[in-house]
Amino acid sequence: MARLIQSPPKYHPSEWHSSNQLNYSKAEEERATAERLRAECERLREETDSTTRRTQESIDHKFAQRIRDIEFWRQELQGKLAENAEETALLVERKERLEKALVATQFPLEAARSCLSFREKRTSIDLVHDDVEIQLMKEVEVIQGVQALLQQTLDHTVEQIRLLKSCKYKLEKELTDKLGALGIDNTCATLTDRSKEIGFSQGAVKIQTNSVTPEQWASFSNENILHTERERNASTTLRGVIDGIADQTQQDIARQRATVNLAFQKRIQETGEAKQSLEQHLEKVLKEIEAMEDNIAQLQAAIGAKQGPMMLAQTRLGLRSQRPNVELVRDPVQYGLVGEVGEIRDSVDRLRASLADSESNLKGLIRNQLTLEEDIAIKANSLHIDRDQCMALRKRLEDSTFLKNN
């Protein structure tokens, strides 16, 4: 069965007017909404533009402030670096002075030891533990003490130079970082919206976990500067100590050297006077030996001279003993001759006793002569050691320098 075609629905005029009115209202509403939205968008653009400009101006101001802060600390670090370099150079000069001073003590020490060694070659009674030896041993002790003090101070100085160089490294490292940061922030400060160098950076919009706060940043630089200043002050103090030690040790060694030289002069004078006195006594002994030898010769001659009278008296007695019979009288002649023989014998005995005493005395004088000559040789050897060896060596000390112009 065929289907009937229905005609479209018919609307009432009121519906037509209502539909039109509805479309007018919706259009007006959408237009008003669009108008408000455009106004809001314009306001938003202006607001965001203003906000962006203010933010950029604030960022530019912060960049300028940041650059000033970095420049301030850079200048502070640069100044401390210059002061550190100057102080290090001054301390290095003191270090070289200490090294030269330490080397300069070696010759005085060797000289003192050589003098002690020379004086061990004194002989016999002159091998005395005298004031010269005492002062020489003290000089060795003083110089060794000076060397220990100089070496200790030198070690301290080397360590202080190392600390200053460590500060220098830290300052240079931070200065390098500051210059790098300053270059970056200067570049950032000059960039604008129209700069060709700008672009999107993926992952840059974040706060790095290893970053520090401005307070920590300033504290780091400040602590670095304070540490450098402490080490520089310590170095300045050490330089004063070094100068004081240099002057004091020089005075100590010079004072002891003068004491030793004075002791040598006194000992040389004493030895010279003793040698001179011994030589005078030797001269007297030699004269006495000569006189005693003459005396002995005279005694021997006197004894020999008594042989004639003795033989004469004994010959007379022998002849008179041959008188015959009653003529053998004990007359005064006989008693005289017998007395004469006894007298001559007594004289000879006395002369021989004097001769024995004289010969014994001569032997004593000769022994004394040998003793004096030996002692004079000992004194001459001591004088040679003290005057010609030790003092000649010590004269070279007077011409040497110690801790001067170093």
Side-chain angles (χ1 to χ4, degrees), residues 197-210:
E197 296 85 353
I198 64 174
F200 295 104
S201 298
Q202 296 295 329
V205 185
K206 63 180 180 179
I207 301 298
Q208 289 87 344
T209 57
N210 61 342

Side-chain angles (χ1 to χ4, degrees), residues 67-308:
I67 290 170
R68 286 194 296 270
D69 290 344
I70 296 175
E71 182 62 26
F72 168 77
W73 286 111
R74 186 195 69 79
Q75 291 177 1
E76 288 291 311
L77 291 168
Q78 191 69 49
K80 294 305 175 184
L81 183 62
E83 292 176 358
N84 180 279
E86 181 181 358
E87 182 60 34
T88 301
L90 292 173
L91 193 57
V92 167
E93 289 179 1
R94 296 305 193 282
K95 170 180 168 289
E96 293 173 352
R97 182 182 185 187
L98 285 172
E99 290 172 339
K100 291 179 181 178
L102 195 56
V103 172
T105 60
Q106 195 58 38
F107 177 54
L109 180 61
E110 291 176 356
R113 286 174 172 170
S114 295
C115 288
L116 286 170
S117 177
F118 289 153
R119 299 188 94 245
E120 286 298 316
K121 296 178 182 179
R122 293 173 298 164
T123 57
S124 189
I125 192 63
D126 271 24
L127 192 59
V128 183
H129 184 59
D130 53 9
D131 188 52
V132 174
E133 186 168 341
I134 293 172
Q135 296 303 327
L136 279 171
M137 293 174 69
K138 185 177 179 181
E139 185 175 37
V140 171
E141 182 180 349
V142 167
I143 296 174
Q144 287 176 335
V146 166
Q147 288 180 332
L149 179 59
L150 290 174
Q151 185 61 56
Q152 181 182 1
T153 307
L154 179 59
D155 293 341
H156 188 187
T157 304
V158 170
E159 175 61 17
Q160 187 60 47
I161 291 174
R162 186 192 69 79
L163 292 174
L164 287 173
K165 289 183 177 180
S166 176
C167 290
K168 174 177 177 288
Y169 170 79
K170 292 178 180 179
L171 289 173
E172 289 177 339
K173 178 68 170 60
E174 188 174 356
L175 269 173
T176 300
D177 293 344
K178 289 283 186 292
L179 289 173
L182 191 61
I184 291 172
D185 283 352
N186 275 322
T187 299
C188 290
T190 59
L191 290 175
T192 66
D193 297 343
R194 297 177 178 81
S195 297
K196 295 180 180 180
E197 296 85 353
I198 64 174
F200 295 104
S201 298
Q202 296 295 329
V205 185
K206 63 180 180 179
I207 301 298
Q208 289 87 344
T209 57
N210 61 342
S211 61
V212 297
T213 65
E215 292 76 15
Q216 291 173 323
W217 173 79
S219 176
F220 180 82
S221 297
N222 188 53
E223 179 56 34
N224 204 358
I225 288 173
L226 290 177
H227 178 65
T228 300
E229 188 65 20
R230 285 194 297 270
E231 295 302 336
R232 191 177 70 84
N233 290 337
S235 177
T236 301
T237 302
L238 180 58
R239 284 194 290 112
V241 171
I242 291 172
D243 291 339
I245 288 175
D247 294 338
Q248 187 60 49
T249 51
Q250 178 184 359
Q251 292 173 10
D252 290 344
I253 289 182
R255 186 184 304 110
Q256 185 58 30
R257 181 190 303 163
T259 301
V260 172
N261 289 345
L262 182 60
F264 261 116
Q265 292 170 4
K266 289 181 178 179
R267 188 60 180 169
I268 289 171
Q269 182 178 357
E270 289 175 351
T271 305
E273 291 174 352
K275 178 175 176 289
Q276 185 178 7
S277 179
L278 288 170
E279 289 171 342
Q280 291 173 352
H281 282 285
L282 177 61
E283 184 179 358
K284 293 178 181 178
V285 167
L286 290 175
K287 289 181 179 179
E288 190 60 35
I289 288 174
E290 184 179 357
M292 185 56 68
E293 288 176 342
D294 290 341
N295 180 58
I296 289 173
Q298 292 175 3
L299 287 172
Q300 290 173 341
I303 292 172
K306 293 295 184 285
Q307 291 181 355

